[in-house]
Amino acid sequence: MLQLIEERANLSVARGCGFAALAIGTFMIGLSSEIVMAFQAGGFLSLMACMALLLKAYNARSHPYKSTELWVMLKAEERPEPAIAQRIIGTVLRDVYLRFAQHAAWIGLGMLVFAVILWAIPPRVQ
Protein backbone atom coordinates (compact mmCIF):
# COMPACT_ATOMS: atom_id res chain seq x y z
CA MET A 1 0.00 0.00 0.00
CA LEU A 2 2.81 2.42 0.87
CA GLN A 3 4.49 1.90 -2.51
CA LEU A 4 1.22 2.73 -4.29
CA ILE A 5 0.84 5.90 -2.22
CA GLU A 6 4.41 6.93 -3.09
CA GLU A 7 3.80 6.30 -6.80
CA ARG A 8 0.63 8.39 -6.76
CA ALA A 9 2.38 11.14 -4.79
CA ASN A 10 5.15 11.20 -7.38
CA LEU A 11 2.56 11.43 -10.15
CA SER A 12 0.70 14.24 -8.40
CA VAL A 13 3.78 16.37 -7.69
CA ALA A 14 5.35 15.61 -11.08
CA ARG A 15 2.22 16.82 -12.82
CA GLY A 16 2.33 20.13 -10.98
CA CYS A 17 6.05 20.52 -11.60
CA GLY A 18 5.50 19.71 -15.26
CA PHE A 19 3.06 22.58 -15.60
CA ALA A 20 5.55 24.88 -13.85
CA ALA A 21 8.32 23.69 -16.20
CA LEU A 22 6.07 24.36 -19.19
CA ALA A 23 5.45 27.91 -17.96
CA ILE A 24 9.16 28.51 -17.31
CA GLY A 25 10.10 27.09 -20.71
CA THR A 26 7.52 29.26 -22.45
CA PHE A 27 8.84 32.33 -20.65
CA MET A 28 12.40 31.43 -21.68
CA ILE A 29 11.34 31.02 -25.30
CA GLY A 30 9.83 34.50 -25.12
CA LEU A 31 13.25 35.80 -24.11
CA SER A 32 15.16 33.73 -26.66
CA SER A 33 16.44 36.83 -28.48
CA GLU A 34 18.46 37.55 -25.30
CA ILE A 35 19.79 34.07 -24.50
CA VAL A 36 21.70 35.07 -21.35
CA MET A 37 18.63 36.77 -19.95
CA ALA A 38 16.50 33.76 -20.89
CA PHE A 39 18.72 31.41 -18.86
CA GLN A 40 18.91 33.86 -15.98
CA ALA A 41 15.13 34.07 -15.88
CA GLY A 42 14.80 30.29 -16.19
CA GLY A 43 17.27 29.80 -13.34
CA PHE A 44 15.55 32.26 -11.04
CA LEU A 45 12.08 30.91 -11.86
CA SER A 46 13.30 27.36 -11.19
CA LEU A 47 14.64 28.50 -7.83
CA MET A 48 11.28 30.11 -7.10
CA ALA A 49 9.60 26.78 -7.91
CA CYS A 50 12.09 25.15 -5.53
CA MET A 51 11.06 27.58 -2.79
CA ALA A 52 7.38 26.85 -3.42
CA LEU A 53 8.07 23.12 -3.14
CA LEU A 54 10.00 23.67 0.09
CA LEU A 55 7.03 25.56 1.53
CA LYS A 56 4.70 22.75 0.45
CA ALA A 57 7.04 20.23 2.12
CA TYR A 58 7.12 22.30 5.30
CA ASN A 59 3.31 22.33 5.50
CA ALA A 60 2.70 18.79 4.20
CA ARG A 61 2.42 17.06 7.57
CA SER A 62 -0.15 19.51 8.93
CA HIS A 63 -2.16 19.98 5.72
CA PRO A 64 -5.45 18.03 5.95
CA TYR A 65 -4.92 14.78 4.04
CA LYS A 66 -8.49 14.67 2.72
CA SER A 67 -7.92 17.87 0.75
CA THR A 68 -4.83 16.62 -1.12
CA GLU A 69 -4.81 15.50 -4.73
CA LEU A 70 -3.10 12.33 -3.56
CA TRP A 71 -6.08 11.37 -1.41
CA VAL A 72 -8.45 11.93 -4.33
CA MET A 73 -6.26 9.78 -6.61
CA LEU A 74 -6.47 6.81 -4.24
CA LYS A 75 -9.43 4.46 -4.52
CA ALA A 76 -11.39 3.81 -1.33
CA GLU A 77 -9.77 0.40 -0.82
CA GLU A 78 -6.27 1.86 -1.36
CA ARG A 79 -6.61 4.55 1.29
CA PRO A 80 -4.98 4.10 4.70
CA GLU A 81 -7.05 4.04 7.87
CA PRO A 82 -8.08 7.51 9.07
CA ALA A 83 -6.14 7.01 12.31
CA ILE A 84 -2.81 6.89 10.45
CA ALA A 85 -3.71 8.56 7.13
CA GLN A 86 -2.54 12.06 8.15
CA ARG A 87 0.87 10.79 9.17
CA ILE A 88 1.35 8.56 6.09
CA ILE A 89 0.04 11.01 3.48
CA GLY A 90 1.83 13.97 5.06
CA THR A 91 5.16 12.16 5.34
CA VAL A 92 5.06 10.76 1.81
CA LEU A 93 4.12 14.13 0.31
CA ARG A 94 6.83 15.86 2.34
CA ASP A 95 9.47 13.48 1.02
CA VAL A 96 8.27 13.82 -2.58
CA TYR A 97 8.11 17.63 -2.36
CA LEU A 98 11.66 17.71 -1.00
CA ARG A 99 12.96 15.44 -3.77
CA PHE A 100 11.35 17.59 -6.48
CA ALA A 101 12.61 20.76 -4.75
CA GLN A 102 16.12 19.34 -4.95
CA HIS A 103 15.69 18.65 -8.68
CA ALA A 104 14.36 22.19 -9.23
CA ALA A 105 17.29 23.66 -7.30
CA TRP A 106 19.85 21.75 -9.40
CA ILE A 107 18.11 22.73 -12.64
CA GLY A 108 17.96 26.39 -11.55
CA LEU A 109 21.60 26.36 -10.53
CA GLY A 110 22.55 24.75 -13.83
CA MET A 111 20.71 27.41 -15.80
CA LEU A 112 22.33 30.21 -13.82
CA VAL A 113 25.80 28.72 -14.29
CA PHE A 114 25.10 28.34 -18.01
CA ALA A 115 23.98 31.99 -18.13
CA VAL A 116 27.27 33.06 -16.52
CA ILE A 117 29.24 30.97 -19.02
CA LEU A 118 27.33 32.52 -21.94
CA TRP A 119 27.83 35.98 -20.49
CA ALA A 120 31.59 35.39 -20.16
CA ILE A 121 32.00 34.32 -23.78
CA PRO A 122 32.72 37.36 -25.94
CA PRO A 123 30.26 37.94 -28.79
CA ARG A 124 31.34 37.09 -32.33
CA VAL A 125 32.09 40.11 -34.48
CA GLN A 126 31.23 39.77 -38.13
Side-chain angles (χ1 to χ4, degrees):
M1 176 174 71
L2 191 57
Q3 183 178 359
L4 177 70
I5 292 173
E6 289 174 1
E7 289 172 5
R8 299 282 168 83
N10 276 320
L11 179 65
S12 173
V13 176
R15 183 177 15 229
C17 288
F19 285 122
L22 180 64
I24 292 168
T26 303
F27 191 79
M28 289 176 67
I29 289 171
L31 293 173
S32 63
S33 63
E34 294 289 332
I35 195 72
V36 174
M37 190 183 306
F39 276 97
Q40 286 175 337
F44 284 122
L45 290 171
S46 294
L47 292 177
M48 287 177 58
C50 172
M51 293 303 297
L53 287 165
L54 289 173
L55 286 172
K56 296 282 281 181
Y58 179 77
N59 293 322
R61 288 186 177 160
S62 61
H63 188 77
Y65 68 93
K66 287 187 177 181
S67 65
T68 63
E69 182 184 11
L70 173 57
W71 185 258
V72 174
M73 291 172 72
L74 295 170
K75 297 176 186 170
E77 62 272 6
E78 298 169 342
R79 294 176 176 170
E81 296 296 321
I84 60 170
Q86 181 67 46
R87 186 173 37 214
I88 291 174
I89 300 292
T91 301
V92 168
L93 282 174
R94 179 184 166 275
D95 293 343
V96 173
Y97 285 138
L98 288 174
R99 187 169 59 251
F100 277 86
Q102 186 178 28
H103 294 313
W106 282 114
I107 291 168
L109 179 65
M111 283 195 228
L112 290 173
V113 167
F114 190 64
V116 169
I117 291 169
L118 290 175
W119 174 78
I121 297 172
R124 294 174 60 190
V125 179
Q126 293 181 348

